[in-house]
Amino acid sequence: MAGELILIVEDNEKSLKLARDVLQFKGYRTLEARTAAEAIALAIAHLPHLILMDIQLPDADGIAALRRLTVEPRTAAIPVVALTAFAMKGDRERFLGAGCDGYLVKPINIKEFPEQVRQFCERARKEG
């Protein structure tokens, strides 16, 4: 079911635009943040269904932002999926172990990406 609000946290303009355009084409609504601080503020203000979190951000890493979101009562239940270029052995486990609800590698596969996002939203709905 599209229409969900997705917060994309990405400091690379091309990656942000690609993710946004692919999701909007499939009917999702999007918010965009380029820093961890902006992501936290937008998440608190808009309570998105899902957050796609880049790990390398200019002001803090995505895991630090995730920790801030999980201690904030309004955002603690929002699923956060790592969207990262970190694709070495052990990275997936490291991010999931740090509290991410999922892990997607950049560059995104534009054919698979909307379905991956839908699955994360669906899982969050079932768990919520």
Side-chain angles (χ1 to χ4, degrees):
M1 176 181 123
E4 288 95 341
L5 181 61
I6 311 297
L7 172 55
I8 306 164
V9 186
E10 172 62 68
D11 63 322
N12 179 287
E13 194 63 40
K14 286 182 181 174
S15 295
L16 177 67
K17 183 179 180 339
L18 179 63
R20 179 195 65 214
D21 291 352
V22 168
L23 291 177
Q24 287 181 354
F25 181 77
K26 291 294 186 176
Y28 291 95
R29 296 175 297 130
T30 61
L31 290 168
E32 295 129 37
R34 286 162 182 77
T35 67
E38 194 177 312
I40 293 162
L42 285 171
I44 292 169
H46 297 278
L47 302 175
H49 294 91
L50 180 71
I51 299 171
L52 299 174
M53 179 75 72
D54 187 13
I55 299 302
Q56 290 184 295
L57 296 166
D59 60 338
D61 74 12
I63 300 304
L66 168 67
R67 288 189 187 111
R68 296 258 318 273
L69 290 165
T70 57
V71 298
E72 167 63 44
R74 289 177 47 86
T75 57
I78 299 171
V80 177
V81 174
L83 180 61
T84 180
F86 284 110
M88 301 299 287
K89 184 173 174 54
D91 283 338
R92 180 179 195 278
E93 293 74 19
R94 181 166 55 107
F95 298 130
L96 294 176
C100 290
D101 297 282
Y103 171 84
L104 295 173
V105 177
K106 294 188 296 189
I108 62 169
N109 178 317
I110 59 172
K111 288 186 171 122
E112 295 174 4
F113 184 62
E115 176 60 18
Q116 292 167 322
V117 169
R118 187 196 66 76
Q119 288 175 6
F120 286 120
C121 289
E122 188 72 26
R123 186 168 62 195
R125 243 193 319 280
K126 288 178 183 169
E127 293 172 1

